[in-house]
């Protein structure tokens, strides 16, 4: 009866050892696959974070360059406007002076022509002795025409300068609007990438924790596997021999019992 009980218990222990070793091996393989997946995911996350970091640095540089370009455009516009104000002021001053000079010349020559007309009509006194008779200055018209031409050129230059200033201001405003729109777009892109980077870093921390947990479980499985082999190796390796030997011993005892019971 004792040997039969031992035979049964050993068989049950053998089956349990086989099951436990198999389950341990399967759990180990499963956990190793999980660890490999975590490590691959971890590698992808590190690459993603590095790419996002580079993208953010590039975007920051581009935004800084855009701000610098905008500042330079503002300085250029300020210089252009200052030059425009100077040109317009100069042309208006020239027009004012030349117009005044033209009026003076017109009055002067008008008086001369009146005197000449009066002389021609015999209404005025003859010229004193030693003085030549006054004649109409033929160059007067040419000088006044030249002054008028300069005035007209100054007006045209003023008008051209105003038109060029308006066009330059419009072009500057377009550049400012376009640059600011680009800056806004890149700033939003930076915010999105920063959020994406923070999320990837969070996932990386989680992956690190998961990997540590997987490594700990693998270590525990390895320790349990060592315990199983320590408890089971002898029985597993010698199971058939021990079972056969015990069966033979049981059979021999049965025969001895039968003989002792009077069997022939």
């Amino acid at each position: 009866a004792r040997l039969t009980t031992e035979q049964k218990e050993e068989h049950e222990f053998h089956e349990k050892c086989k099951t436990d070793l198999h389950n341990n091996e399967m759990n180990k393989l499963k956990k190793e696959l999980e660890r490999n997946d975590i490590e691959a995911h971890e590698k992808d996350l590190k690459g993603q974070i590095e790419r996002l970091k580079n993208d953010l640095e590039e975007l920051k540089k581009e935004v800084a360059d855009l701000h610098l370009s905008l500042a330079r455009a503002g300085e250029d516009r300020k210089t252009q406007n200052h030059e425009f104000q100077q040109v317009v002021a100069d042309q208006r001053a020239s027009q004012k002076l030349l117009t005044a000079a033209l009026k003076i010349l017109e009055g002067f020559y008008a008086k001369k022509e009146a005197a000449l007309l009066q002389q021609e009509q015999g209404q005025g006194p003859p010229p004193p002795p030693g003085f030549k008779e006054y004649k109409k200055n033929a160059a007067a018209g040419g000088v006044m025409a030249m002054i008028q031409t300069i005035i007209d050129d100054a007006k045209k230059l003023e008008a051209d300068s105003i038109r060029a200033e308006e066009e330059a201001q419009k072009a500057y405003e377009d550049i400012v609007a376009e640059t600011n729109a680009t800056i806004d777009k890149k700033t939003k892109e930076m915010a999105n990438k920063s959020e994406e980077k923070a999320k990837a870093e969070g996932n990386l921390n989680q992956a690190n924790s998961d990997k540590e947990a997987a490594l700990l479980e693998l270590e525990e499985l390895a320790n349990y596997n060592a315990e199983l082999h320590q408890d089971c190796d002898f029985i597993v390796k010698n199971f058939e021999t021990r079972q056969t030997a015990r069966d033979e011993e049981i059979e021999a005892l049965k025969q001895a019992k039968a003989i002792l019971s009077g069997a022939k």
Side-chain angles (χ1 to χ4, degrees):
R2 180 179 59 80
L3 289 173
T4 300
T5 300
E6 289 178 358
Q7 191 80 332
K8 180 181 178 183
E9 289 177 349
E10 188 176 79
H11 182 271
E12 291 175 352
F13 183 73
H14 176 263
E15 291 303 312
K16 183 177 183 303
C17 281
K18 286 173 61 179
T19 301
D20 290 347
L21 285 167
H22 175 75
N23 289 340
N24 180 267
E25 185 64 24
M26 291 300 100
N27 289 335
K28 177 186 173 185
L29 290 174
K30 180 181 177 181
K31 193 55 62 176
E32 285 177 345
L33 289 173
E34 183 180 333
R35 181 198 62 189
N36 292 339
D37 289 342
I38 292 172
E39 288 177 345
H41 184 49
E42 186 180 43
K43 183 179 179 181
D44 290 341
L45 287 171
K46 287 180 179 178
Q48 181 185 5
I49 291 170
E50 187 63 25
R51 288 193 298 273
L52 288 169
K53 181 181 177 182
N54 293 335
D55 290 346
L56 282 169
E57 290 177 355
E58 183 64 26
L59 284 169
K60 287 179 182 178
K61 183 179 180 300
E62 290 176 0
V63 169
D65 290 342
L66 286 169
H67 279 297
L68 181 60
S69 175
L70 203 58
R72 287 175 176 171
E75 290 297 324
D76 291 344
R77 181 83 280 274
K78 185 177 179 180
T79 300
Q80 290 173 354
N81 181 260
H82 177 74
E83 292 174 353
F84 159 75
Q85 296 290 348
Q86 189 64 45
V87 168
V88 170
D90 290 346
Q91 298 309 311
R92 287 176 178 174
S94 297
Q95 293 173 50
K96 183 177 180 180
L97 291 173
L98 290 171
T99 300
L102 189 61
K103 287 181 179 179
I104 292 172
L105 287 174
E106 285 175 348
F108 176 76
Y109 287 121
K111 290 179 181 179
K112 290 292 184 181
E113 287 177 1
L116 176 61
L117 181 61
Q118 192 177 37
Q119 180 180 343
E120 289 176 349
Q121 294 175 351
Q123 297 176 357
F131 286 88
K132 295 181 180 179
E133 181 182 358
Y134 174 77
K135 294 183 179 180
K136 184 176 181 180
N137 191 343
V143 172
M144 293 174 65
M146 180 183 68
I147 292 175
Q148 185 61 51
T149 299
I150 296 174
I151 291 173
D152 293 340
D153 289 344
K155 288 181 178 180
K156 183 176 183 303
L157 181 57
E158 178 187 351
D160 291 343
S161 297
I162 292 173
R163 184 170 58 255
E165 169 65 13
E166 291 174 350
E167 292 175 353
Q169 180 64 26
K170 178 63 169 57
Y172 170 70
E173 291 173 358
D174 291 342
I175 289 173
V176 170
E178 183 179 351
T179 303
N180 284 330
T182 304
I183 289 174
D184 289 341
K185 180 180 178 182
K186 290 187 179 295
T187 301
K188 290 178 182 177
E189 190 176 352
M190 284 172 60
N192 293 334
K193 285 186 179 292
S194 295
E195 183 179 350
E196 188 178 352
K197 180 173 174 285
K199 183 177 179 181
E201 288 172 342
N203 291 337
L204 180 60
N205 291 333
Q206 183 61 48
N208 289 332
S209 299
D210 293 343
K211 186 174 75 171
E212 290 178 1
L215 291 173
L216 180 60
E217 286 190 46
L218 282 170
E219 184 179 355
E220 291 173 350
L221 287 171
N223 293 335
Y224 182 50
N225 182 266
E227 293 176 4
L228 286 174
H229 279 288
Q230 185 177 2
D231 295 338
C232 297
D233 279 357
F234 178 78
I235 297 298
V236 171
K237 289 179 180 179
N238 299 284
F239 178 70
E240 296 297 335
T241 302
R242 287 172 60 83
Q243 288 284 304
T244 300
R246 191 177 288 110
D247 283 340
E248 290 176 353
E249 187 176 358
I250 290 172
E251 185 60 30
L253 287 172
K254 285 180 179 179
Q255 292 177 6
K257 181 180 177 183
I259 292 172
L260 292 173
S261 299
K264 295 181 180 179

